[in-house]
Short mmCIF file of all heavy atoms in Angstrom, two decimals:
data_model
loop_
_atom_site.label_atom_id
_atom_site.label_comp_id
_atom_site.label_asym_id
_atom_site.label_seq_id
_atom_site.Cartn_x
_atom_site.Cartn_y
_atom_site.Cartn_z
N ILE A 1 1.44 -26.94 12.77
CA ILE A 1 0.37 -26.40 11.94
C ILE A 1 1.01 -25.62 10.80
O ILE A 1 1.82 -24.75 11.01
CB ILE A 1 -0.55 -25.47 12.75
CG1 ILE A 1 -1.21 -26.24 13.87
CG2 ILE A 1 -1.57 -24.82 11.84
CD1 ILE A 1 -2.01 -25.37 14.81
N ASN A 2 0.62 -25.96 9.58
CA ASN A 2 1.11 -25.25 8.41
C ASN A 2 0.14 -24.14 8.04
O ASN A 2 -1.06 -24.36 7.98
CB ASN A 2 1.26 -26.19 7.21
CG ASN A 2 2.39 -27.17 7.39
OD1 ASN A 2 3.34 -26.87 8.10
ND2 ASN A 2 2.29 -28.31 6.76
N ARG A 3 0.71 -22.98 7.82
CA ARG A 3 -0.12 -21.86 7.39
C ARG A 3 0.29 -21.48 5.99
O ARG A 3 1.46 -21.34 5.69
CB ARG A 3 0.07 -20.67 8.31
CG ARG A 3 -0.50 -20.93 9.69
CD ARG A 3 -0.27 -19.79 10.61
NE ARG A 3 -0.70 -18.55 10.00
CZ ARG A 3 -0.64 -17.38 10.61
NH1 ARG A 3 -0.17 -17.29 11.81
NH2 ARG A 3 -1.03 -16.29 10.00
N PHE A 4 -0.71 -21.34 5.11
CA PHE A 4 -0.46 -20.97 3.74
C PHE A 4 -0.90 -19.53 3.55
O PHE A 4 -2.01 -19.16 3.90
CB PHE A 4 -1.24 -21.87 2.77
CG PHE A 4 -0.75 -23.28 2.79
CD1 PHE A 4 -1.39 -24.24 3.57
CD2 PHE A 4 0.35 -23.65 2.04
CE1 PHE A 4 -0.95 -25.54 3.60
CE2 PHE A 4 0.80 -24.95 2.06
CZ PHE A 4 0.16 -25.90 2.84
N GLU A 5 -0.01 -18.73 3.02
CA GLU A 5 -0.35 -17.35 2.71
C GLU A 5 -0.62 -17.24 1.22
O GLU A 5 0.18 -17.68 0.42
CB GLU A 5 0.80 -16.41 3.05
CG GLU A 5 0.95 -16.15 4.51
CD GLU A 5 2.01 -15.10 4.78
OE1 GLU A 5 2.24 -14.24 3.90
OE2 GLU A 5 2.58 -15.13 5.85
N GLU A 6 -1.75 -16.70 0.90
CA GLU A 6 -2.07 -16.47 -0.50
C GLU A 6 -1.70 -15.03 -0.81
O GLU A 6 -2.24 -14.09 -0.23
CB GLU A 6 -3.56 -16.69 -0.77
CG GLU A 6 -3.91 -16.58 -2.22
CD GLU A 6 -5.36 -16.94 -2.47
OE1 GLU A 6 -5.90 -17.78 -1.76
OE2 GLU A 6 -5.94 -16.34 -3.40
N VAL A 7 -0.73 -14.85 -1.68
CA VAL A 7 -0.25 -13.52 -2.03
C VAL A 7 -0.67 -13.22 -3.45
O VAL A 7 -0.47 -14.02 -4.35
CB VAL A 7 1.29 -13.45 -1.92
CG1 VAL A 7 1.78 -12.09 -2.33
CG2 VAL A 7 1.73 -13.79 -0.51
N MET A 8 -1.27 -12.06 -3.64
CA MET A 8 -1.66 -11.66 -4.98
C MET A 8 -1.27 -10.20 -5.19
O MET A 8 -1.25 -9.41 -4.26
CB MET A 8 -3.16 -11.85 -5.19
CG MET A 8 -4.05 -11.25 -4.15
SD MET A 8 -5.73 -11.78 -4.29
CE MET A 8 -6.42 -10.46 -5.23
N ALA A 9 -0.91 -9.89 -6.40
CA ALA A 9 -0.52 -8.53 -6.74
C ALA A 9 -1.78 -7.70 -7.01
O ALA A 9 -2.67 -8.15 -7.73
CB ALA A 9 0.39 -8.52 -7.94
N LEU A 10 -1.84 -6.52 -6.42
CA LEU A 10 -2.98 -5.63 -6.60
C LEU A 10 -2.52 -4.33 -7.24
O LEU A 10 -1.45 -3.82 -6.91
CB LEU A 10 -3.62 -5.29 -5.25
CG LEU A 10 -4.30 -6.40 -4.48
CD1 LEU A 10 -4.67 -5.90 -3.10
CD2 LEU A 10 -5.52 -6.87 -5.22
N ASN A 11 -3.35 -3.80 -8.13
CA ASN A 11 -3.08 -2.45 -8.63
C ASN A 11 -3.27 -1.49 -7.48
O ASN A 11 -4.15 -1.66 -6.64
CB ASN A 11 -4.05 -2.09 -9.75
CG ASN A 11 -3.75 -2.83 -11.03
OD1 ASN A 11 -2.61 -3.21 -11.26
ND2 ASN A 11 -4.75 -3.03 -11.83
N LEU A 12 -2.47 -0.45 -7.44
CA LEU A 12 -2.58 0.51 -6.34
C LEU A 12 -3.92 1.22 -6.32
O LEU A 12 -4.40 1.63 -5.28
CB LEU A 12 -1.45 1.53 -6.43
CG LEU A 12 -0.15 1.00 -5.87
CD1 LEU A 12 1.01 1.88 -6.28
CD2 LEU A 12 -0.22 0.90 -4.38
N THR A 13 -4.56 1.34 -7.48
CA THR A 13 -5.86 2.00 -7.52
C THR A 13 -6.96 1.17 -6.86
O THR A 13 -8.02 1.68 -6.56
CB THR A 13 -6.26 2.34 -8.97
OG1 THR A 13 -6.20 1.15 -9.75
CG2 THR A 13 -5.33 3.39 -9.56
N SER A 14 -6.69 -0.12 -6.61
CA SER A 14 -7.69 -0.97 -5.95
C SER A 14 -7.40 -1.18 -4.46
O SER A 14 -8.12 -1.89 -3.78
CB SER A 14 -7.79 -2.32 -6.66
OG SER A 14 -6.58 -3.02 -6.55
N ILE A 15 -6.35 -0.55 -3.94
CA ILE A 15 -6.02 -0.65 -2.51
C ILE A 15 -7.03 0.18 -1.72
O ILE A 15 -7.36 1.31 -2.11
CB ILE A 15 -4.59 -0.12 -2.25
CG1 ILE A 15 -3.55 -0.94 -3.01
CG2 ILE A 15 -4.28 -0.10 -0.76
CD1 ILE A 15 -3.31 -2.31 -2.50
N ARG A 16 -7.52 -0.38 -0.63
CA ARG A 16 -8.50 0.31 0.21
C ARG A 16 -8.00 0.39 1.66
O ARG A 16 -7.16 -0.40 2.08
CB ARG A 16 -9.84 -0.43 0.20
CG ARG A 16 -10.47 -0.52 -1.18
CD ARG A 16 -10.98 0.82 -1.65
NE ARG A 16 -11.53 0.72 -3.00
CZ ARG A 16 -10.99 1.26 -4.07
NH1 ARG A 16 -9.89 1.94 -3.98
NH2 ARG A 16 -11.56 1.13 -5.25
N ARG A 17 -8.56 1.33 2.41
CA ARG A 17 -8.21 1.48 3.81
C ARG A 17 -8.52 0.20 4.58
O ARG A 17 -9.55 -0.44 4.34
CB ARG A 17 -9.03 2.64 4.39
CG ARG A 17 -8.55 3.10 5.70
CD ARG A 17 -9.30 4.30 6.20
NE ARG A 17 -10.20 4.85 5.20
CZ ARG A 17 -10.90 5.95 5.36
NH1 ARG A 17 -10.82 6.60 6.48
NH2 ARG A 17 -11.70 6.38 4.42
N GLY A 18 -7.61 -0.20 5.46
CA GLY A 18 -7.80 -1.41 6.26
C GLY A 18 -7.13 -2.64 5.68
O GLY A 18 -6.95 -3.63 6.38
N MET A 19 -6.75 -2.61 4.41
CA MET A 19 -6.07 -3.76 3.79
C MET A 19 -4.66 -3.89 4.36
O MET A 19 -4.08 -2.92 4.84
CB MET A 19 -5.99 -3.60 2.28
CG MET A 19 -7.31 -3.64 1.57
SD MET A 19 -7.09 -3.35 -0.19
CE MET A 19 -7.37 -4.98 -0.80
N VAL A 20 -4.12 -5.09 4.29
CA VAL A 20 -2.73 -5.34 4.69
C VAL A 20 -1.94 -5.63 3.42
O VAL A 20 -2.32 -6.48 2.62
CB VAL A 20 -2.63 -6.52 5.68
CG1 VAL A 20 -1.18 -6.84 5.99
CG2 VAL A 20 -3.40 -6.20 6.96
N VAL A 21 -0.84 -4.90 3.23
CA VAL A 21 0.00 -5.06 2.05
C VAL A 21 1.42 -5.41 2.50
O VAL A 21 1.83 -5.10 3.62
CB VAL A 21 0.02 -3.78 1.18
CG1 VAL A 21 -1.35 -3.50 0.61
CG2 VAL A 21 0.55 -2.60 1.94
N LYS A 22 2.15 -6.07 1.60
CA LYS A 22 3.53 -6.43 1.88
C LYS A 22 4.44 -5.50 1.09
O LYS A 22 4.29 -5.37 -0.12
CB LYS A 22 3.78 -7.88 1.50
CG LYS A 22 5.07 -8.43 2.01
CD LYS A 22 5.13 -9.93 1.79
CE LYS A 22 6.03 -10.54 2.83
NZ LYS A 22 5.92 -11.98 2.82
N LEU A 23 5.37 -4.86 1.79
CA LEU A 23 6.27 -3.91 1.18
C LEU A 23 7.64 -4.09 1.81
O LEU A 23 7.76 -4.07 3.04
CB LEU A 23 5.75 -2.48 1.41
CG LEU A 23 6.54 -1.32 0.86
CD1 LEU A 23 6.55 -1.38 -0.67
CD2 LEU A 23 5.94 -0.02 1.31
N GLU A 24 8.66 -4.30 0.99
CA GLU A 24 10.03 -4.49 1.47
C GLU A 24 10.12 -5.62 2.49
O GLU A 24 10.82 -5.53 3.49
CB GLU A 24 10.57 -3.19 2.05
CG GLU A 24 10.63 -2.06 1.04
CD GLU A 24 10.92 -0.72 1.66
OE1 GLU A 24 11.12 -0.64 2.89
OE2 GLU A 24 10.93 0.26 0.91
N GLY A 25 9.33 -6.69 2.29
CA GLY A 25 9.37 -7.86 3.15
C GLY A 25 8.63 -7.75 4.47
O GLY A 25 8.66 -8.66 5.27
N GLN A 26 7.94 -6.63 4.70
CA GLN A 26 7.19 -6.45 5.95
C GLN A 26 5.73 -6.18 5.64
O GLN A 26 5.39 -5.68 4.57
CB GLN A 26 7.77 -5.29 6.76
CG GLN A 26 9.17 -5.54 7.24
CD GLN A 26 9.65 -4.44 8.18
OE1 GLN A 26 8.98 -3.43 8.36
NE2 GLN A 26 10.78 -4.66 8.79
N ASN A 27 4.87 -6.48 6.61
CA ASN A 27 3.43 -6.26 6.45
C ASN A 27 3.05 -4.89 7.00
O ASN A 27 3.48 -4.51 8.09
CB ASN A 27 2.63 -7.34 7.16
CG ASN A 27 2.76 -8.69 6.50
OD1 ASN A 27 2.94 -8.77 5.29
ND2 ASN A 27 2.68 -9.74 7.28
N PHE A 28 2.22 -4.18 6.24
CA PHE A 28 1.74 -2.86 6.62
C PHE A 28 0.24 -2.80 6.46
O PHE A 28 -0.31 -3.33 5.50
CB PHE A 28 2.38 -1.78 5.73
CG PHE A 28 3.85 -1.64 5.90
CD1 PHE A 28 4.72 -2.38 5.13
CD2 PHE A 28 4.37 -0.77 6.84
CE1 PHE A 28 6.08 -2.26 5.28
CE2 PHE A 28 5.73 -0.64 6.99
CZ PHE A 28 6.60 -1.38 6.22
N GLN A 29 -0.42 -2.14 7.40
CA GLN A 29 -1.85 -1.90 7.29
C GLN A 29 -2.04 -0.53 6.65
O GLN A 29 -1.36 0.44 7.01
CB GLN A 29 -2.52 -1.92 8.65
CG GLN A 29 -4.02 -1.72 8.57
CD GLN A 29 -4.69 -1.79 9.92
OE1 GLN A 29 -4.04 -1.71 10.95
NE2 GLN A 29 -5.99 -1.95 9.91
N VAL A 30 -2.96 -0.45 5.69
CA VAL A 30 -3.24 0.81 5.00
C VAL A 30 -4.16 1.65 5.89
O VAL A 30 -5.27 1.25 6.20
CB VAL A 30 -3.89 0.56 3.62
CG1 VAL A 30 -4.20 1.88 2.94
CG2 VAL A 30 -2.99 -0.31 2.76
N ILE A 31 -3.67 2.81 6.32
CA ILE A 31 -4.43 3.71 7.17
C ILE A 31 -5.26 4.68 6.32
O ILE A 31 -6.40 4.97 6.63
CB ILE A 31 -3.49 4.52 8.10
CG1 ILE A 31 -2.62 3.58 8.94
CG2 ILE A 31 -4.26 5.48 8.98
CD1 ILE A 31 -3.39 2.69 9.87
N ASP A 32 -4.66 5.18 5.23
CA ASP A 32 -5.36 6.13 4.37
C ASP A 32 -4.85 5.98 2.94
O ASP A 32 -3.69 5.65 2.73
CB ASP A 32 -5.11 7.56 4.87
CG ASP A 32 -6.04 8.57 4.23
OD1 ASP A 32 -7.18 8.20 3.89
OD2 ASP A 32 -5.63 9.73 4.07
N VAL A 33 -5.73 6.22 1.98
CA VAL A 33 -5.39 6.13 0.56
C VAL A 33 -5.84 7.42 -0.12
O VAL A 33 -6.96 7.87 0.10
CB VAL A 33 -6.11 4.94 -0.13
CG1 VAL A 33 -5.76 4.88 -1.61
CG2 VAL A 33 -5.80 3.64 0.55
N GLU A 34 -4.95 7.98 -0.92
CA GLU A 34 -5.31 9.19 -1.66
C GLU A 34 -4.82 9.05 -3.09
O GLU A 34 -3.63 8.85 -3.33
CB GLU A 34 -4.66 10.40 -1.00
CG GLU A 34 -5.22 11.70 -1.47
CD GLU A 34 -4.70 12.87 -0.63
OE1 GLU A 34 -4.19 12.64 0.47
OE2 GLU A 34 -4.81 14.00 -1.12
N HIS A 35 -5.74 9.10 -4.05
CA HIS A 35 -5.39 9.03 -5.47
C HIS A 35 -5.42 10.45 -6.01
O HIS A 35 -6.42 11.14 -5.91
CB HIS A 35 -6.40 8.16 -6.21
CG HIS A 35 -6.05 7.95 -7.65
ND1 HIS A 35 -6.49 8.79 -8.63
CD2 HIS A 35 -5.29 7.01 -8.25
CE1 HIS A 35 -6.02 8.37 -9.80
NE2 HIS A 35 -5.28 7.30 -9.59
N ARG A 36 -4.28 10.90 -6.56
CA ARG A 36 -4.19 12.28 -7.00
C ARG A 36 -3.72 12.38 -8.45
O ARG A 36 -2.91 11.58 -8.89
CB ARG A 36 -3.22 13.06 -6.13
CG ARG A 36 -3.61 13.03 -4.67
CD ARG A 36 -2.62 13.75 -3.85
NE ARG A 36 -3.24 14.98 -3.40
CZ ARG A 36 -2.60 15.95 -2.81
NH1 ARG A 36 -1.31 15.87 -2.60
NH2 ARG A 36 -3.24 17.02 -2.40
N THR A 37 -4.26 13.36 -9.14
CA THR A 37 -3.82 13.68 -10.50
C THR A 37 -3.57 15.18 -10.53
O THR A 37 -4.47 15.96 -10.85
CB THR A 37 -4.89 13.29 -11.54
OG1 THR A 37 -5.28 11.95 -11.31
CG2 THR A 37 -4.35 13.42 -12.95
N PRO A 38 -2.35 15.61 -10.19
CA PRO A 38 -2.08 17.05 -10.11
C PRO A 38 -1.84 17.68 -11.48
O PRO A 38 -0.86 17.37 -12.16
CB PRO A 38 -0.82 17.12 -9.25
CG PRO A 38 -0.16 15.81 -9.45
CD PRO A 38 -1.24 14.80 -9.75
N GLY A 39 -2.72 18.55 -11.90
CA GLY A 39 -2.56 19.32 -13.13
C GLY A 39 -2.22 18.47 -14.34
O GLY A 39 -2.94 17.54 -14.68
N ASN A 40 -1.10 18.78 -14.97
CA ASN A 40 -0.71 18.04 -16.17
C ASN A 40 0.31 16.93 -15.86
O ASN A 40 0.96 16.43 -16.76
CB ASN A 40 -0.15 19.01 -17.22
CG ASN A 40 1.09 19.72 -16.71
OD1 ASN A 40 1.41 19.65 -15.54
ND2 ASN A 40 1.77 20.44 -17.60
N LEU A 41 0.46 16.57 -14.61
CA LEU A 41 1.40 15.52 -14.22
C LEU A 41 0.73 14.16 -14.19
O LEU A 41 -0.49 14.04 -14.25
CB LEU A 41 1.99 15.85 -12.84
CG LEU A 41 2.72 17.18 -12.73
CD1 LEU A 41 3.14 17.41 -11.30
CD2 LEU A 41 3.91 17.23 -13.66
N ARG A 42 1.53 13.12 -14.07
CA ARG A 42 1.01 11.75 -13.98
C ARG A 42 0.32 11.52 -12.63
O ARG A 42 0.74 12.07 -11.62
CB ARG A 42 2.13 10.74 -14.13
CG ARG A 42 2.69 10.71 -15.52
CD ARG A 42 3.29 9.34 -15.75
NE ARG A 42 3.66 9.19 -17.13
CZ ARG A 42 2.99 8.43 -17.98
NH1 ARG A 42 1.92 7.79 -17.58
NH2 ARG A 42 3.39 8.31 -19.21
N ALA A 43 -0.69 10.68 -12.65
CA ALA A 43 -1.42 10.34 -11.42
C ALA A 43 -0.52 9.55 -10.49
O ALA A 43 0.36 8.80 -10.92
CB ALA A 43 -2.66 9.54 -11.75
N PHE A 44 -0.75 9.71 -9.18
CA PHE A 44 -0.04 8.90 -8.20
C PHE A 44 -0.99 8.56 -7.06
O PHE A 44 -2.04 9.18 -6.88
CB PHE A 44 1.22 9.60 -7.68
CG PHE A 44 0.98 10.87 -6.91
CD1 PHE A 44 0.73 10.85 -5.55
CD2 PHE A 44 1.00 12.10 -7.56
CE1 PHE A 44 0.52 12.02 -4.84
CE2 PHE A 44 0.80 13.27 -6.87
CZ PHE A 44 0.55 13.23 -5.50
N VAL A 45 -0.61 7.52 -6.32
CA VAL A 45 -1.38 7.09 -5.16
C VAL A 45 -0.50 7.29 -3.94
O VAL A 45 0.65 6.87 -3.91
CB VAL A 45 -1.79 5.61 -5.28
CG1 VAL A 45 -2.50 5.14 -4.03
CG2 VAL A 45 -2.67 5.41 -6.50
N GLN A 46 -1.04 7.98 -2.95
CA GLN A 46 -0.31 8.22 -1.72
C GLN A 46 -0.94 7.39 -0.62
O GLN A 46 -2.14 7.49 -0.36
CB GLN A 46 -0.37 9.71 -1.38
CG GLN A 46 0.44 10.10 -0.19
CD GLN A 46 0.53 11.60 -0.07
OE1 GLN A 46 1.05 12.27 -0.93
NE2 GLN A 46 -0.02 12.13 1.01
N LEU A 47 -0.14 6.53 0.02
CA LEU A 47 -0.63 5.65 1.07
C LEU A 47 -0.04 6.05 2.42
O LEU A 47 1.16 6.32 2.51
CB LEU A 47 -0.22 4.20 0.79
CG LEU A 47 -0.71 3.55 -0.49
CD1 LEU A 47 -0.15 2.14 -0.59
CD2 LEU A 47 -2.21 3.54 -0.55
N LYS A 48 -0.87 6.07 3.44
CA LYS A 48 -0.39 6.20 4.80
C LYS A 48 -0.40 4.79 5.36
O LYS A 48 -1.45 4.14 5.41
CB LYS A 48 -1.28 7.12 5.62
CG LYS A 48 -0.75 7.36 7.01
CD LYS A 48 -1.57 8.41 7.75
CE LYS A 48 -0.98 8.70 9.11
NZ LYS A 48 -1.78 9.70 9.83
N LEU A 49 0.77 4.29 5.76
CA LEU A 49 0.94 2.90 6.16
C LEU A 49 1.37 2.79 7.62
O LEU A 49 2.09 3.65 8.12
CB LEU A 49 1.99 2.23 5.27
CG LEU A 49 1.70 2.24 3.78
CD1 LEU A 49 2.94 1.83 3.00
CD2 LEU A 49 0.55 1.31 3.47
N LYS A 50 0.93 1.70 8.26
CA LYS A 50 1.32 1.41 9.63
C LYS A 50 2.02 0.06 9.65
O LYS A 50 1.45 -0.94 9.19
CB LYS A 50 0.09 1.37 10.53
CG LYS A 50 0.40 1.04 11.98
CD LYS A 50 -0.86 1.04 12.81
CE LYS A 50 -0.57 0.68 14.24
NZ LYS A 50 -1.80 0.65 15.04
N ASN A 51 3.24 0.03 10.15
CA ASN A 51 4.00 -1.20 10.25
C ASN A 51 3.32 -2.12 11.27
O ASN A 51 3.07 -1.72 12.40
CB ASN A 51 5.44 -0.88 10.69
CG ASN A 51 6.35 -2.07 10.60
OD1 ASN A 51 5.97 -3.18 10.95
ND2 ASN A 51 7.55 -1.84 10.12
N MET A 52 3.03 -3.35 10.87
CA MET A 52 2.30 -4.29 11.74
C MET A 52 3.18 -4.81 12.88
O MET A 52 2.66 -5.23 13.90
CB MET A 52 1.78 -5.47 10.93
CG MET A 52 0.83 -5.10 9.81
SD MET A 52 -0.78 -4.61 10.39
CE MET A 52 -1.45 -6.17 10.85
N SER A 53 4.50 -4.78 12.74
CA SER A 53 5.36 -5.33 13.78
C SER A 53 5.73 -4.31 14.85
O SER A 53 5.81 -4.66 16.03
CB SER A 53 6.63 -5.94 13.17
OG SER A 53 7.36 -4.96 12.47
N ASN A 54 5.96 -3.04 14.47
CA ASN A 54 6.39 -2.08 15.49
C ASN A 54 5.47 -0.87 15.64
O ASN A 54 5.70 -0.02 16.49
CB ASN A 54 7.83 -1.62 15.22
CG ASN A 54 7.98 -0.88 13.92
OD1 ASN A 54 7.02 -0.42 13.33
ND2 ASN A 54 9.21 -0.78 13.45
N GLY A 55 4.44 -0.75 14.79
CA GLY A 55 3.44 0.30 14.95
C GLY A 55 3.82 1.65 14.34
O GLY A 55 3.05 2.59 14.44
N SER A 56 5.00 1.77 13.75
CA SER A 56 5.39 3.05 13.17
C SER A 56 4.55 3.35 11.92
O SER A 56 4.12 2.45 11.22
CB SER A 56 6.88 3.05 12.82
OG SER A 56 7.14 2.11 11.81
N GLN A 57 4.32 4.64 11.67
CA GLN A 57 3.51 5.05 10.52
C GLN A 57 4.34 5.95 9.61
O GLN A 57 5.20 6.69 10.08
CB GLN A 57 2.28 5.83 10.99
CG GLN A 57 1.31 5.00 11.75
CD GLN A 57 0.06 5.80 12.12
OE1 GLN A 57 -0.15 6.90 11.65
NE2 GLN A 57 -0.77 5.22 12.96
N PHE A 58 4.07 5.88 8.31
CA PHE A 58 4.72 6.76 7.36
C PHE A 58 3.86 6.88 6.11
O PHE A 58 2.94 6.11 5.90
CB PHE A 58 6.14 6.30 7.03
CG PHE A 58 6.20 4.99 6.29
CD1 PHE A 58 6.32 4.96 4.91
CD2 PHE A 58 6.15 3.79 6.98
CE1 PHE A 58 6.38 3.75 4.24
CE2 PHE A 58 6.22 2.59 6.32
CZ PHE A 58 6.34 2.57 4.94
N ILE A 59 4.19 7.86 5.28
CA ILE A 59 3.48 8.10 4.04
C ILE A 59 4.41 7.74 2.88
O ILE A 59 5.57 8.12 2.88
CB ILE A 59 3.04 9.57 3.94
CG1 ILE A 59 2.02 9.87 5.04
CG2 ILE A 59 2.46 9.87 2.56
CD1 ILE A 59 1.62 11.31 5.15
N LYS A 60 3.87 6.99 1.91
CA LYS A 60 4.66 6.58 0.75
C LYS A 60 3.86 6.87 -0.51
O LYS A 60 2.67 6.64 -0.56
CB LYS A 60 5.01 5.10 0.84
CG LYS A 60 5.95 4.65 -0.26
CD LYS A 60 6.88 3.59 0.23
CE LYS A 60 7.76 3.05 -0.87
NZ LYS A 60 8.90 3.86 -1.14
N ARG A 61 4.54 7.37 -1.53
CA ARG A 61 3.92 7.71 -2.81
C ARG A 61 4.33 6.70 -3.86
O ARG A 61 5.48 6.32 -3.95
CB ARG A 61 4.43 9.07 -3.25
CG ARG A 61 3.37 10.03 -3.60
CD ARG A 61 3.99 11.34 -3.95
NE ARG A 61 3.49 12.33 -3.03
CZ ARG A 61 3.71 13.61 -3.12
NH1 ARG A 61 4.48 14.07 -4.07
NH2 ARG A 61 3.19 14.44 -2.26
N PHE A 62 3.36 6.28 -4.66
CA PHE A 62 3.59 5.32 -5.74
C PHE A 62 2.98 5.85 -7.02
O PHE A 62 2.00 6.59 -6.99
CB PHE A 62 2.90 3.98 -5.44
CG PHE A 62 3.37 3.30 -4.20
CD1 PHE A 62 2.72 3.52 -3.00
CD2 PHE A 62 4.43 2.43 -4.22
CE1 PHE A 62 3.14 2.89 -1.84
CE2 PHE A 62 4.86 1.79 -3.08
CZ PHE A 62 4.21 2.02 -1.89
N SER A 63 3.52 5.43 -8.15
CA SER A 63 2.90 5.72 -9.43
C SER A 63 1.58 4.95 -9.48
O SER A 63 1.47 3.85 -8.95
CB SER A 63 3.83 5.25 -10.56
OG SER A 63 3.20 5.36 -11.79
N ALA A 64 0.56 5.51 -10.12
CA ALA A 64 -0.77 4.90 -10.13
C ALA A 64 -0.79 3.54 -10.84
O ALA A 64 -1.69 2.74 -10.61
CB ALA A 64 -1.77 5.84 -10.76
N ASP A 65 0.19 3.26 -11.69
CA ASP A 65 0.16 1.99 -12.41
C ASP A 65 1.04 0.91 -11.79
O ASP A 65 1.17 -0.17 -12.34
CB ASP A 65 0.56 2.21 -13.88
CG ASP A 65 1.93 2.86 -14.03
OD1 ASP A 65 2.53 3.21 -13.00
OD2 ASP A 65 2.38 3.02 -15.17
N GLU A 66 1.62 1.16 -10.61
CA GLU A 66 2.42 0.13 -9.91
C GLU A 66 1.52 -0.89 -9.25
O GLU A 66 0.30 -0.72 -9.15
CB GLU A 66 3.29 0.79 -8.83
CG GLU A 66 4.45 1.58 -9.36
CD GLU A 66 5.32 2.08 -8.23
OE1 GLU A 66 5.83 1.25 -7.45
OE2 GLU A 66 5.49 3.29 -8.14
N GLN A 67 2.12 -2.00 -8.80
CA GLN A 67 1.38 -3.05 -8.10
C GLN A 67 2.05 -3.36 -6.77
O GLN A 67 3.26 -3.23 -6.63
CB GLN A 67 1.30 -4.31 -8.94
CG GLN A 67 0.45 -4.16 -10.18
CD GLN A 67 0.26 -5.48 -10.88
OE1 GLN A 67 1.05 -6.39 -10.75
NE2 GLN A 67 -0.81 -5.58 -11.62
N LEU A 68 1.26 -3.80 -5.80
CA LEU A 68 1.74 -4.24 -4.49
C LEU A 68 1.21 -5.64 -4.21
O LEU A 68 0.21 -6.05 -4.78
CB LEU A 68 1.23 -3.32 -3.38
CG LEU A 68 1.93 -1.99 -3.20
CD1 LEU A 68 1.29 -1.24 -2.04
CD2 LEU A 68 3.40 -2.15 -2.94
N GLU A 69 1.85 -6.34 -3.29
CA GLU A 69 1.39 -7.67 -2.86
C GLU A 69 0.41 -7.52 -1.72
O GLU A 69 0.51 -6.64 -0.91
CB GLU A 69 2.57 -8.51 -2.40
CG GLU A 69 3.48 -8.92 -3.51
CD GLU A 69 4.62 -9.80 -3.02
OE1 GLU A 69 4.73 -10.03 -1.82
OE2 GLU A 69 5.38 -10.25 -3.86
#
């Protein structure tokens, strides 16, 4: 059975809780999303991610204009 994966790049501002994203060659489920604009600094998106293969969780910060698969 052949399985086709459709991969598309998403702006980080359109990432929602429950989505699965690919980062560093591994799949992660988005547990929480926080879009922040602190004072006079650039906006960033903070994601709480869960590794789909081993269940570990961590928080990663991205610039608001980056993209993920």
Side-chain angles (χ1 to χ4, degrees):
I1 298 173
N2 290 334
R3 291 178 51 179
F4 294 96
E5 284 187 26
E6 185 175 327
V7 178
M8 51 191 265
L10 293 172
N11 287 333
L12 280 166
T13 54
S14 64
I15 299 288
R16 299 289 178 248
R17 193 176 352 185
M19 293 177 107
V20 175
V21 296
K22 192 170 207 169
L23 180 64
E24 299 169 3
Q26 295 187 352
N27 291 329
F28 294 90
Q29 182 178 15
V30 179
I31 303 298
D32 193 30
V33 179
E34 194 171 343
H35 185 270
R36 302 178 109 190
T37 309
N40 61 349
L41 302 175
R42 291 206 171 253
F44 65 87
V45 176
Q46 184 170 298
L47 300 178
K48 185 173 183 181
L49 301 168
K50 179 179 178 181
N51 189 319
M52 300 287 286
S53 60
N54 63 18
S56 65
Q57 294 184 10
F58 66 97
I59 295 174
K60 186 146 176 82
R61 232 178 240 187
F62 300 92
S63 173
D65 56 356
E66 288 185 58
Q67 292 187 336
L68 282 181
E69 291 182 356

